[in-house]
Amino acid sequence: MKTQFQLYNLSEEHFTDVINLGNLVHGDGYLFPDTLAAMHLKGIKDGLNSSFVLYHGDMLVGFRITYAPNNWQLDRWCTPELWPIATEHVAYFKCNTIHPDFQGKGLGGKLLSESMTTLKQMGAKAGLSHIWMQSPGNASFKYFTKAGGVLIKTHPRRWHEDEALQDYVCIICGEDCFCNASEMMLEFDKE
């Protein structure tokens, strides 16, 4: 009998699995219980939750952490003067992670679609993300571009200077991360 995928809104019961998968895919120190709890809260607005997890049986195979519009802070790696959408209508796509054994099967797109549906109910008209440009095969950029994301600006060494990731060990660079982030926007229902 074939096991189907089960989609759930992210909740505390999933935190251990999410931390383990995030650190496996992105490197040690990527997620911790306190940082994940804060991220989780940023995805909740008006009784809706824009973050999701995807299981295959008992195994977490993917997660999408998304911040609701007006539930996240712009930082120096955001250039709202270049955005086509007003900041109050912009959500933030924080992280999309798929287990290596399940990549390339459209699961990231499924998680993105679920988040977008919820974000629209929250009043979002677009989602911003900082795409990891050194991801293997530049898969992150390709995935987000295919979904409709448009490049706004590239920020050199974005994660090296991020205080929230001071214990992070990049799987490409090690402790001193040189990876770039491309600020990209995905407009919803663009005509």
Side-chain angles (χ1 to χ4, degrees), residues 41-107:
L41 291 177
K42 290 179 183 179
I44 298 171
K45 181 179 179 182
D46 300 329
L48 299 171
N49 183 345
S50 61
S51 296
F52 291 89
V53 293
L54 189 65
Y55 280 82
H56 187 260
D58 292 334
M59 179 183 180
L60 178 68
V61 297
F63 64 87
R64 153 122 347 255
I65 298 173
T66 307
Y67 300 163
N70 298 309
N71 272 13
W72 61 284
Q73 295 288 330
L74 276 68
D75 58 28
R76 63 184 167 153
W77 299 288
C78 294
T79 51
E81 64 275 11
L82 300 178
W83 299 353
I85 303 291
T87 59
E88 65 268 16
H89 297 292
V90 177
Y92 189 75
F93 295 119
K94 175 64 177 162
C95 181
N96 191 48
T97 302
I98 304 296
H99 190 283
D101 294 344
F102 291 85
Q103 292 174 0
K105 301 182 185 307
L107 301 178

Side-chain angles (χ1 to χ4, degrees), residues 24-43:
L24 170 74
V25 172
H26 301 289
D28 291 337
Y30 186 73
L31 290 172
F32 293 98
D34 57 338
T35 56
L36 180 56
M39 290 176 185
H40 175 242
L41 291 177
K42 290 179 183 179

Side-chain angles (χ1 to χ4, degrees), residues 170-181:
C170 176
I171 63 169
I172 303 294
C173 309
E175 291 181 11
D176 190 12
C177 183
F178 286 85
C179 293
N180 298 329

Side-chain angles (χ1 to χ4, degrees), residues 13 27 31 153 174:
E13 70 184 275
L31 290 172
K153 184 177 180 179

Side-chain angles (χ1 to χ4, degrees), residues 64-168:
R64 153 122 347 255
I65 298 173
T66 307
Y67 300 163
N70 298 309
N71 272 13
W72 61 284
Q73 295 288 330
L74 276 68
D75 58 28
R76 63 184 167 153
W77 299 288
C78 294
T79 51
E81 64 275 11
L82 300 178
W83 299 353
I85 303 291
T87 59
E88 65 268 16
H89 297 292
V90 177
Y92 189 75
F93 295 119
K94 175 64 177 162
C95 181
N96 191 48
T97 302
I98 304 296
H99 190 283
D101 294 344
F102 291 85
Q103 292 174 0
K105 301 182 185 307
L107 301 178
K110 179 175 179 50
L111 289 164
L112 178 65
S113 178
E114 291 294 331
S115 284
M116 286 174 46
T117 297
T118 303
L119 292 169
K120 289 178 197 178
Q121 294 171 354
M122 294 175 172
K125 295 181 180 179
L128 186 80
S129 187
H130 287 91
I131 301 298
W132 179 31
M133 295 305 291
Q134 281 72 26
S135 65
N138 205 12
S140 298
F141 183 80
K142 291 175 185 175
Y143 152 78
F144 208 68
T145 300
K146 183 179 177 183
V150 175
L151 178 65
I152 304 292
K153 184 177 180 179
T154 297
H155 302 275
R157 298 191 70 177
R158 187 238 192 264
W159 291 282
H160 169 79
E161 299 179 22
D162 190 337
E163 293 175 12
L165 293 173
Q166 64 189 37
D167 295 323
Y168 175 58

